[in-house]
Amino acid sequence: TAALEEEVQALKSQCVRLQEDSDKARADKERVELILEEFHNEETSKSSYETKRLKDTVHALEAATAAKDTQIEELSAKLREFTTTQADYERCKSHLDSSNHARDELTARVDQLSVELRKARMFAAAEEYYIDRRLVSNVLVSYFDGQKAGSSEVLKLACSILGMDQDQMRRIERGADRLKQPSRWGL
């Protein structure tokens, strides 16, 4: 019976650790919910970064859920072995049920996050070709009236923002060079 008591104690300890893991998973779930809320408030330029981070979080939660499933299965097997101590068995079974419930909540949250991730990807894809007019305005002002007025660096930045290919960029640079050359009439 001493060996049985030691195993019962080990089982109790595992139940406590499993409950702590479940609490941590709930805290992670709440943190992910806060991240999703913040995600909707950020600018579209940051959406792809947030999407990747959420995707990594979803994968981490899925892995945590799988690990919890494995632990729950192992704990269930040990509980069936110790049916002689009914009180300990009932207490551990209660912990197991709460862990199963936490796992179900995590699974539901992972499903919900997957839907949110798909929506975020669709949103990011729709905004992929959007260019902020204020940004283009600032670059043009810098080219014509900034510290780097007339510099090819600012011109290349503008071309890059507008998504021009190398041929278009060369044509723009040639045109800018012609504008910088004095005219034949001395004007």
Side-chain angles (χ1 to χ4, degrees):
T1 61
L4 183 60
E5 285 297 321
E6 286 179 19
E7 290 204 36
V8 166
Q9 287 296 59
L11 185 57
K12 286 179 185 179
S13 174
Q14 284 182 342
C15 285
V16 168
R17 280 197 315 271
L18 188 57
Q19 185 63 40
E20 289 170 353
D21 290 346
S22 177
D23 292 342
K24 183 180 178 210
R26 281 190 189 106
D28 288 345
K29 179 186 89 161
E30 290 172 5
R31 184 177 56 79
V32 168
E33 287 173 348
L34 289 174
I35 289 171
L36 282 174
E37 191 173 310
E38 290 174 10
F39 173 75
H40 288 293
N41 295 331
E42 289 192 15
E43 295 177 13
T44 57
S45 64
K46 295 180 183 176
S47 65
S48 62
Y49 170 76
E50 288 296 325
T51 301
K52 182 186 179 320
R53 193 171 79 173
L54 285 173
K55 184 178 177 183
D56 292 343
T57 302
V58 167
H59 289 307
L61 285 174
E62 287 173 344
T65 302
K68 298 288 181 251
D69 286 346
T70 303
Q71 288 176 346
I72 288 170
E73 289 173 15
E74 291 171 358
L75 189 56
S76 294
K78 287 189 177 190
L79 282 175
R80 286 189 292 273
E81 292 175 15
F82 298 109
T83 55
T84 56
T85 51
Q86 188 64 29
D88 290 336
Y89 175 77
E90 290 300 323
R91 192 167 39 251
C92 289
K93 185 168 180 355
S94 173
H95 287 295
L96 178 63
D97 290 342
S98 67
S99 294
N100 281 333
H101 180 70
R103 183 202 61 215
D104 293 342
E105 287 177 350
L106 282 174
T107 302
R109 185 65 184 144
V110 166
D111 291 343
Q112 183 182 7
L113 287 174
S114 295
V115 168
E116 290 294 325
L117 182 62
R118 279 193 296 274
K119 286 179 184 178
R121 283 181 182 155
M122 288 173 37
F123 177 73
E127 296 294 325
E128 185 175 332
Y129 294 103
Y130 172 75
I131 298 174
D132 188 355
R133 289 189 299 177
R134 293 171 295 175
L135 177 65
V136 174
S137 297
N138 288 339
V139 170
L140 286 174
V141 167
S142 295
Y143 180 73
F144 289 105
D145 189 39
Q147 289 180 341
K148 295 185 177 186
S151 77
S152 63
E153 179 182 332
V154 175
L155 193 60
K156 286 179 182 179
L157 177 62
C159 291
S160 173
I161 290 171
L162 295 173
M164 294 184 181
D165 61 26
Q166 291 296 326
D167 183 50
Q168 290 172 323
M169 287 176 84
R170 279 192 295 275
R171 290 170 54 198
I172 293 289
E173 287 174 349
R174 279 196 312 260
D177 288 342
R178 277 185 282 181
L179 289 176
K180 291 178 188 175
Q181 295 174 356
S183 69
R184 291 184 286 178
W185 306 98
L187 298 176

